[in-house]
Amino acid sequence: MALDEILTLSKEARFFNVHALADALVQLVPTLGKSRRFQAICRGFDHIVAERCGSQAAAKLALARALRLHENDRPWEAIRELHRAKGAWFHGESIDDCIRAFATLSSLYSQEGLHLAALYYALAGISIANESHSVQS
């Protein structure tokens, strides 16, 4: 059975643990990540995970995929994944993931020679961390 068929069936199977399958897809990113079809399947699973578990859970999957892409020297694809999901990170319980994502974006942009973008995300991460710390105090 192909992944796109599993995606279609997962939409209908309300009690199927789609998050576990989406986690498993993260492991396939180094091998299949360049395929547009695989990317579309990942976005489809992200959508289902967001519906069932919340947008933060889907954002964590995108962060995990981005980190795998970064580990495999595919910076532009990692940047794309991070930008696709960054809107879901500005919630109290996912601030750490937001900071990690911004630090990763900063590193990726610096690696690609885009130093102003790297600086922007580094400063944004520091600002969020500072605000988060002052709110907790």
Side-chain angles (χ1 to χ4, degrees):
M1 181 177 287
L3 286 174
D4 49 356
E5 291 178 73
I6 294 172
L7 174 63
T8 302
L9 292 172
S10 297
K11 291 176 185 175
E12 299 167 12
R14 300 296 303 165
F15 298 106
F16 178 68
N17 186 354
V18 70
H19 197 281
L21 182 56
D23 275 337
L25 289 177
V26 170
Q27 304 308 315
L28 297 175
V29 166
T31 310
L32 300 175
K34 287 185 179 181
S35 161
R36 290 191 186 272
R37 184 174 172 202
F38 180 75
Q39 293 168 13
I41 289 168
C42 287
R43 284 192 301 278
F45 276 107
D46 285 351
H47 182 70
I48 296 171
V49 167
E51 284 179 350
R52 295 184 188 174
C53 306
S55 61
Q56 294 172 12
K60 282 183 182 260
L61 289 169
L63 176 59
R65 284 193 304 270
L67 293 173
R68 291 286 292 186
L69 289 164
H70 183 38
E71 291 168 4
N72 286 278
D73 295 321
R74 292 170 43 201
W76 291 110
E77 294 168 65
I79 289 169
R80 184 193 65 238
E81 284 292 333
L82 290 169
H83 280 292
R84 186 173 289 135
K86 72 180 176 183
W89 289 316
F90 293 104
H91 303 287
E93 63 192 52
S94 62
I95 291 296
D96 290 344
D97 289 331
C98 179
I99 294 166
R100 181 179 301 131
F102 278 30
T104 303
L105 279 167
S106 178
S107 172
L108 289 164
Y109 279 127
S110 179
Q111 174 184 329
E112 294 302 308
L114 298 170
H115 301 296
L116 288 176
L119 180 62
Y120 172 82
Y121 280 101
L123 292 174
I126 290 168
S127 176
I128 292 166
N130 188 42
E131 281 297 314
S132 147
H133 178 69
S134 66
V135 168
Q136 291 173 356
S137 298

